[in-house]
Amino acid sequence: MLEILLVQLSKPSVWLWLAIALVISYAVHRFGRLLLRALRGQIDPRMLKALRWLWLLVVVVGYVAYATYKIYLPNIPVLFALGQNIAEGFRNTAGQAVVIVALALIAWRMVGTFSERIVPGNDEFNRRNVRVQTLKGVVESTLKVIIIIISLIAGLQALGVNATSLLAGVSVLGLAVGFGAQSLIKDVFTGFFILLEDQYGVGDVITVNSGLLSGNVERLNLRVTALRALDGTVHIVPNGQINTVSVSSKDWSRVVATVDVTYQANINEALRVLKAVSDEIYADGEWRRYFLEEPEIQGVTQLAPDGVTLRALFKVLPKSQYAIGREFNRRIKIAMDQAGIEIPFPQRSLNFGGAPIEIRLTRDDGGESGPTDQDRTRSPIKPSETRDPEDED
């Protein structure tokens, strides 16, 4: 018996069949565990645990019996006969169907598991992570579709259906359907070029079709783009219906830091305050890491009906413009109050009859702009990094 065992194990074909049988046994075991999982909550947990161990024992004994038959050890009659029956059973339609379903389930789970391990989640936002996460979702969904198609073809072959002739008929039907599904084809082609050119990806903040829809890209595949709006609404947009895309988080972003002052204010002093606050945020260690360049003070940009507009520009990392903009608003308000520079409030002139009557809205606090003893370098709360509501318009 030992001599027969050594001779059989020296054949590469035997090792190949043993490896294939091992994979099939594992697939059948996982398939059985999946079926037992469906019984959770319906039978006693101890009974369920016993069934799991019993199923594992059945699979192990089955593999050992098949190995005994494949190595050809007739001196172990019980296992040899059982292995012969197992081999004949899997040549039948039912056995092949079980193997196909089990292998398909294993492949389905392996796609998700390997994609998570090969491309682990990373909270850091940059173009590489955006593209990797996007391509991960597309490749994963594509592989799952391939698994379904191959499993269906193999299952039809196991049932005795000629898959070749069936595929020929399906191709003719697909051609006919294709003429009526031009929008779907357009979606797929558009999605392909979105991915190829890295126009945007998962995690980007985009505005579609000149402001009709905007949000954070949660999912992107060849057919649709899923946007999460600020209020939590998910917009599903077919890629073929996307004409223009405005990406707010690609490569770098910009904070348009503006402040209005009254016409009676000292403009030069207001500009000095604007520069001081901009340089202060840039020098702050908590915010400095978001800046890509030094702040640019543009000066007086508009003479509006209610006041004078001053503006500075901050070039920052993508998706950080919202938090920095809010911190700037807090600091510039406190700085203007401390400098005694008034931020305008509505002023209107009403004409009654022939002579104009000027109505000015004033406060009873003697013109004080606000408390001047606030510490603008330390915020009581950290500004949120979510995008502003006006980006949803």
Side-chain angles (χ1 to χ4, degrees), residues 340-362:
I341 300 174
E342 191 174 23
I343 296 177
F345 48 87
Q347 302 180 41
R348 293 291 184 268
S349 295
L350 302 179
N351 192 343
F352 294 92
I357 299 177
E358 183 175 348
I359 298 177
R360 183 184 298 271
L361 302 179
T362 61

Side-chain angles (χ1 to χ4, degrees), residues 115 142 304 388:
S115 65
T142 303
D388 296 328

Side-chain angles (χ1 to χ4, degrees), residues 17 54 71 153 166 227 261 303:
W17 279 109
L54 179 61
I71 297 175
I153 294 175
L166 181 64
L227 302 179
V261 299
L303 301 178

Side-chain angles (χ1 to χ4, degrees), residues 271-291:
L271 287 172
R272 281 191 287 269
V273 172
L274 175 63
K275 179 172 174 53
V277 171
S278 302
D279 293 340
E280 183 181 273
I281 298 178
Y282 179 73
D284 193 326
E286 182 179 358
W287 302 100
R288 175 67 180 84
R289 57 193 177 96
Y290 296 113
F291 281 81

Side-chain angles (χ1 to χ4, degrees), residues 256-258 281 324-334:
V256 182
T258 60
I281 298 178
I324 295 177
R326 294 175 184 125
E327 178 65 12
F328 169 81
N329 291 337
R330 185 188 71 85
R331 295 195 183 198
I332 196 66
K333 171 63 171 64
I334 298 175

Side-chain angles (χ1 to χ4, degrees), residues 190 194 199-200 206 208-209 224-225 237-245:
T190 304
I194 289 174
Q199 297 177 11
Y200 59 86
I206 68 172
V208 177
N209 295 340
V224 298
T225 297
V237 186
N239 292 330
Q241 296 183 12
I242 298 177
N243 297 321
T244 60
V245 177

